[in-house]
């Protein structure tokens, strides 16, 4: 188990065509472009078309990640999808994507940790690859958050968007150099506290109300928990690996709010030029936000092979966590 490393072989992402601007929202509800930008940093978000599902977004992101890795679906033996907005209660979105990609072998399943989903799913996938049980995985974060928003609630509907991001992860033999020096997943740290459910949840579910319900949130309480808990998750993980904020090349945070990103980066001593922020263009895409932000920075040439990247997320549950990867 210790002689394997999980490498990021490819990255991809997909955003629906439809862009919803703050001004369009201000024409529908009592809000303004200025309020949304000032409190959140969000200028626009992408919204899935009528009939376009989470698996549709995930399939596109997965295809792009496979192309980036120079691989085909035949090379993959595991698909893990992080989502809060599955196409169906069952089957899992991962198995829907498995069929759509024409994969007739291996295994596929979903991970549900809301906005922390990609970090949780990365931790699970990394562990499965390191045991040798699977060799190459598609790890996908995909969401259609627009489908569980109350579009009359200005305190939540302005914050979220739809999208998907994906990585191809490969189990490879580790080289003799120190684990944190070679490309691959260095480590992850997961936390949750179910007592904090009321701060961020949906008003329903199949077993309680027979419907998905709508997202509700106590915004300023979540904000305070986000800054404290994310900072703690990042500090703990970096300390475990003998690293500090100065060692990090890129901070790739969950894209919930520009003010949260800045506050956390400041606490950790990470220079603002190292923060990858897509919150202005994507809004909060929940489990898709980290791989989407990562892919934007890979495509525009900021994140390069060998760079040390620190990921984090916090979401409903509450759940939170962090991960260190060398690209
Ligand atoms: N447009 C205009 N006014 C709005 C508004 C909107 N879209 N949403 C809320 N308001 C109003 C409130 O009604 C309130 O008015 P009041 O003082 O008359 O009652 C006022 O703005 C302040 O609300 P408050 O919730 O205290 O604002 P805030 O500064 O905390 O910002 C959030 C609200 C949601 C932007 C902020 O709390 C936040 O980002 N929280 C974290 C959210 C998050 O990260 N969630 C996802 C985790 S995965």
């Amino acid at each position: 188990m210790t002689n394997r490393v999980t490498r990021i072989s490819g990255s991809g992402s997909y955003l629906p065509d439809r862009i919803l601007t703050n001004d369009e929202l201000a024409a529908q509800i009592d809000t303004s472009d200025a309020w949304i930008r000032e409190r959140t940093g969000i200028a626009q978000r992408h919204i899935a078309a009528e009939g376009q599902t989470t698996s549709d977004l995930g399939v596109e992101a997965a295809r792009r990640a496979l192309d980036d890795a120079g691989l085909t679906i035949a090379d993959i033996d595991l698909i893990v999808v992080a989502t809060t907005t599955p196409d169906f209660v069952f089957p899992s979105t991962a198995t829907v994507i498995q069929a759509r990609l024409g994969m007739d072998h291996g295994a596929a399943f979903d991970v549900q940790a809301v906005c922390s989903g990609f970090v949780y799913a990365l931790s699970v996938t990394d562990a499965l690859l390191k045991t040798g049980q699977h060799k190459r995985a598609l790890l996908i974060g995909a969401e259609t958050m627009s489908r569980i928003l109350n579009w009359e609630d200005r305190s939540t509907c302005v914050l979220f968007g739809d999208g998907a991001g994906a990585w191809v992860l490969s189990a490879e033999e580790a080289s003799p150099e120190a684990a944190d020096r070679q490309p691959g997943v260095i480590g992850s740290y997961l936390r949750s506290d179910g007592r904090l459910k009321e701060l961020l949840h949906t008003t329903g579910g199949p077993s309680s109300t027979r419907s998905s319900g709508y997202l509700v949130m106590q915004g300023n309480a979540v904000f305070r928990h986000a800054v404290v808990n994310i900072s703690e998750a990042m500090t703990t993980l970096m300390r475990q690996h003998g690293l500090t904020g100065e060692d990090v090349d890129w901070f790739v945070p969950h894209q919930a709010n520009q003010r949260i990103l800045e506050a956390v980066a400041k606490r950790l001593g990470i220079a603002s030029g190292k923060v990858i922020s897509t919150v202005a263009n994507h809004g909060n895409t929940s489990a898709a936000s980290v791989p989407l932000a990562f892919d934007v920075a890979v495509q525009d040439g900021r994140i390069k092979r060998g760079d040390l990247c620190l990921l984090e997320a916090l979401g409903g549950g509450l759940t939170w966590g962090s991960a260190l990867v060398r690209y």
Side-chain angles (χ1 to χ4, degrees):
M1 187 164 173
T2 48
N3 61 349
R4 286 196 187 84
V5 64
T6 301
R7 298 246 153 91
I8 304 168
S9 307
S11 163
S13 62
Y14 177 78
L15 288 159
D17 293 338
R18 164 88 169 105
I19 291 173
L20 178 64
T21 64
N22 291 346
D23 283 332
E24 285 177 85
L25 279 170
Q28 294 159 23
I29 51 169
D30 183 16
T31 189
S32 67
D33 178 52
W35 191 96
I36 301 170
R37 279 180 199 259
E38 188 190 313
R39 300 294 178 108
T40 71
I42 298 167
Q44 60 170 51
R45 70 288 292 145
H46 291 248
I47 301 292
E50 192 64 38
Q52 193 176 29
T53 63
T54 293
S55 68
D56 291 326
L57 310 188
V59 161
E60 282 308 315
R63 287 195 174 123
R64 291 173 187 189
L66 284 169
D67 282 351
D68 186 49
L71 297 168
T72 71
I73 194 64
D75 300 306
I76 302 295
D77 61 3
L78 177 67
I79 299 178
V80 181
V81 174
T83 189
T84 316
T85 45
D87 291 18
F88 307 105
V89 170
F90 75 89
S92 69
T93 303
T95 56
V96 174
I97 291 175
Q98 180 188 28
R100 295 268 307 276
L101 291 175
M103 178 175 156
D104 58 5
H105 58 276
F109 64 90
D110 287 358
V111 168
Q112 216 286 42
V114 205
C115 296
S116 310
F118 192 79
V119 172
Y120 268 64
L122 173 63
S123 184
V124 171
T125 308
D126 178 40
L128 282 172
L129 292 173
K130 281 184 174 145
T131 64
Q133 194 174 332
H134 295 273
K135 293 196 169 41
R136 204 171 257 134
L138 260 173
L139 171 62
I140 302 165
E143 299 278 19
T144 46
M145 294 302 282
S146 61
R147 303 274 155 73
I148 59 164
L149 295 175
N150 173 357
W151 287 97
E152 289 172 6
D153 175 7
R154 66 177 182 172
S155 70
T156 54
C157 75
V158 303
L159 303 174
F160 293 88
D162 301 336
W167 284 359
V168 175
L169 293 172
S170 307
E172 292 180 17
E173 287 301 309
S175 60
E177 60 189 328
D180 63 327
R181 292 263 142 246
Q182 58 189 301
V185 179
I186 295 165
S188 53
Y189 173 84
L190 305 181
R191 280 295 325 274
S192 67
D193 186 345
R195 294 171 301 177
L196 301 172
K197 166 192 173 265
E198 292 305 318
L199 301 189
L200 175 56
H201 61 103
T202 61
T203 54
S207 166
S208 55
T209 62
R210 299 173 190 241
S211 71
S212 65
Y214 291 112
L215 183 152
V216 289
M217 177 169 67
Q218 295 174 30
N220 38 37
V222 173
F223 192 104
R224 284 193 297 277
H225 278 283
V227 175
V228 172
N229 293 339
I230 290 167
S231 301
E232 183 265 332
M234 288 164 46
T235 310
T236 304
L237 182 64
M238 286 200 290
R239 199 182 299 126
Q240 283 171 358
H241 294 277
L243 298 166
T244 70
E246 286 183 9
D247 299 310
V248 170
D249 294 307
W250 297 107
F251 174 39
V252 192
H254 171 49
Q255 308 287 319
N257 183 313
Q258 185 63 27
R259 292 187 295 145
I260 297 177
L261 314 194
E262 286 167 9
V264 169
K266 197 169 165 204
R267 276 182 173 222
L268 271 285
I270 297 171
S272 59
K274 293 179 172 182
V275 182
I276 306 295
S277 175
T278 53
V279 69
N281 293 331
H282 300 171
N284 180 348
T285 57
S286 185
S289 96
V290 169
L292 259 167
F294 185 90
D295 193 51
V296 164
V298 167
Q299 299 303 327
D300 70 21
R302 275 178 294 171
I303 297 181
K304 296 186 181 61
R305 287 288 173 188
D307 284 353
L308 181 65
C309 303
L310 177 60
L311 323 179
E312 57 82 352
L314 176 134
L318 292 182
T319 55
W320 64 99
S322 56
L324 272 166
V325 300
R326 195 173 285 284
Y327 181 47

